[in-house]
Amino acid sequence: MKIFRETIDLNRYFSSENTSARRITFYAESAFYYRYFSGYIDYILKNSPYDLCYITSEASDPIFKNDNKRIKKFYAASFFPYIAKHTDARALVYTMDDLHQFAVKRSSNKNVEHIYAMHAMNSTTMSHRDGAFDYYDSVFCVGPYQKEEILLREQKYSLSHKKLVEVGYPYLDDIMKQKIINHPTNSNTVLVAPSWHEGNIFETCIIPLVQSLLMSGFKVIARPHDEMLKQRPELVSSISKRFENEKLFVFETNLGNVESVQSASLLIADWGGIVFEWAFTKECPVMLINTNMKIQN
């Protein structure tokens, strides 16, 4: 049972044998988020002698198949808030919004540096809830525009100053390499990849959109956001069943699979960060559907 696995991994994480590796700890809410950490992890392993810990809340996370002995891997779902509260990590790296505003709190150890790594290239004021980064000590920003937005929020609400580091977007580098090496573009394939805000493509116009594309002879890959899979499973299932007999329709729920992203020549989206990843990597057309604007705060 998962609870026993969590208990074992909880004890392993806090064991003396992992004291050194625990200094750098990454936490992923699901397998989906490893893609945003991999660039940082690879850099640490290549350029330092440090081992590190990687905690995930998904029991089937592919990280457990990684045989690099310098990455100490742990499963923690219900127990993670306890780990977060009591860890003595020197650097605790998240790509999770809203630290200390819900179940997961800052560590009680004042020596822990709480670091946020961006998982989208969007504006921070449009795509994240109010106060999403307020309890972090450092934020890895994609570029100066995110840094400027966070600084303005700190000034407006008299917040403590965070370390704002412009690091680029390692995930973009990764998918650009994959495009060059492995994935030619199929000119007859369309990727439909909406965001998960209220009124997104899946909630408004996905049926007529897909029908029109199929009737025009296009292969259609529909790719729901990870949060849609969590929050609206009944909607996702109904869309999948609606087109399950269409030979030119693929419903892609394995968000770790970049094949769908790389095989298409047109992206249809709304307000998600994939728009920027696609545009800079593929240099192919993007069609934006004017759904309700995604404004989280």
Side-chain angles (χ1 to χ4, degrees), residues 60-102:
S60 59
D61 196 311
I63 190 67
F64 294 112
K65 297 179 180 178
N66 187 318
D67 59 2
N68 191 317
K69 295 182 180 179
R70 293 177 61 192
I71 304 175
K72 314 301 179 182
K73 299 167 281 289
F74 309 88
Y75 167 62
S78 57
F79 286 178
F80 182 72
Y82 175 87
I83 292 175
K85 183 70 175 177
H86 297 282
T87 185
D88 58 352
R90 183 63 187 87
L92 180 53
V93 189
Y94 293 93
T95 185
M96 176 193 74
D97 292 10
D98 306 309
L99 176 66
H100 211 74
Q101 300 201 101
F102 297 105

Side-chain angles (χ1 to χ4, degrees), residues 137-198:
D137 302 303
S138 299
V139 178
F140 290 166
C141 301
V142 174
Y145 61 100
Q146 291 182 339
K147 183 176 180 179
E148 291 167 5
E149 290 172 347
I150 295 173
L151 281 171
L152 284 170
R153 177 175 173 79
E154 290 177 351
Q155 295 168 10
K156 180 176 177 62
Y157 296 105
S158 300
L159 303 174
S160 58
H161 181 59
K162 291 174 280 297
K163 299 172 188 174
L164 304 175
V165 187
E166 295 177 34
V167 300
Y169 196 48
Y171 177 55
L172 182 65
D173 299 331
D174 289 344
I175 56 179
M176 289 182 74
K177 291 175 185 175
Q178 291 173 29
K179 173 199 172 185
I180 293 170
I181 296 172
N182 294 320
H183 300 287
T185 297
N186 183 337
S187 61
N188 202 42
T189 301
V190 176
L191 174 65
V192 181
S195 187
W196 57 277
H197 65 291
E198 185 176 350

Side-chain angles (χ1 to χ4, degrees), residues 1-12 56-59 74-83:
M1 293 178 65
K2 291 182 179 180
I3 192 66
F4 294 119
R5 181 178 175 184
E6 280 202 69
T7 302
I8 291 170
D9 280 8
L10 172 69
N11 290 327
R12 280 201 308 116
T56 175
S57 288
E58 187 166 327
F74 309 88
Y75 167 62
S78 57
F79 286 178
F80 182 72
Y82 175 87
I83 292 175

Side-chain angles (χ1 to χ4, degrees), residues 118-296:
M118 289 287 173
H119 62 266
M121 300 172 71
N122 306 46
S123 161
T124 61
T125 59
M126 187 179 77
S127 300
H128 303 268
R129 281 185 289 264
D130 190 43
F133 318 115
D134 287 357
Y135 289 92
Y136 281 101
D137 302 303
S138 299
V139 178
F140 290 166
C141 301
V142 174
Y145 61 100
Q146 291 182 339
K147 183 176 180 179
E148 291 167 5
E149 290 172 347
I150 295 173
L151 281 171
L152 284 170
R153 177 175 173 79
E154 290 177 351
Q155 295 168 10
K156 180 176 177 62
Y157 296 105
S158 300
L159 303 174
S160 58
H161 181 59
K162 291 174 280 297
K163 299 172 188 174
L164 304 175
V165 187
E166 295 177 34
V167 300
Y169 196 48
Y171 177 55
L172 182 65
D173 299 331
D174 289 344
I175 56 179
M176 289 182 74
K177 291 175 185 175
Q178 291 173 29
K179 173 199 172 185
I180 293 170
I181 296 172
N182 294 320
H183 300 287
T185 297
N186 183 337
S187 61
N188 202 42
T189 301
V190 176
L191 174 65
V192 181
S195 187
W196 57 277
H197 65 291
E198 185 176 350
N200 66 71
I201 290 173
F202 273 19
E203 294 181 349
T204 55
C205 61
I206 187 64
I207 301 301
L209 174 63
V210 172
Q211 286 175 331
S212 177
L213 290 167
L214 293 175
M215 289 176 62
S216 299
F218 288 99
K219 177 181 177 180
V220 180
I221 301 172
R223 189 171 182 265
H225 191 282
D226 183 58
E227 291 297 328
M228 281 290 292
L229 294 173
K230 295 177 185 176
Q231 298 181 20
R232 298 294 307 277
E234 74 294 338
L235 175 61
V236 170
S237 178
S238 68
I239 296 169
S240 177
K241 289 180 180 178
R242 174 65 177 77
F243 296 104
E244 63 183 354
N245 294 321
E246 295 285 349
K247 294 181 180 179
L248 292 178
F249 180 79
V250 176
F251 202 74
E252 179 63 82
T253 57
N254 177 11
L255 303 187
N257 178 18
V258 298
E259 192 83 28
S260 59
V261 176
Q262 299 295 358
S263 65
S265 60
L266 171 68
L267 170 67
I268 298 179
D270 41 40
W271 298 92
I274 191 174
V275 169
F276 301 101
E277 295 163 7
W278 175 279
F280 287 116
T281 306
K282 300 274 293 184
E283 298 182 2
C284 288
V286 177
M287 180 181 290
L288 298 177
I289 294 183
N290 191 25
T291 65
N292 292 340
M293 184 177 286
K294 181 180 181 180
I295 301 178
Q296 296 291 89

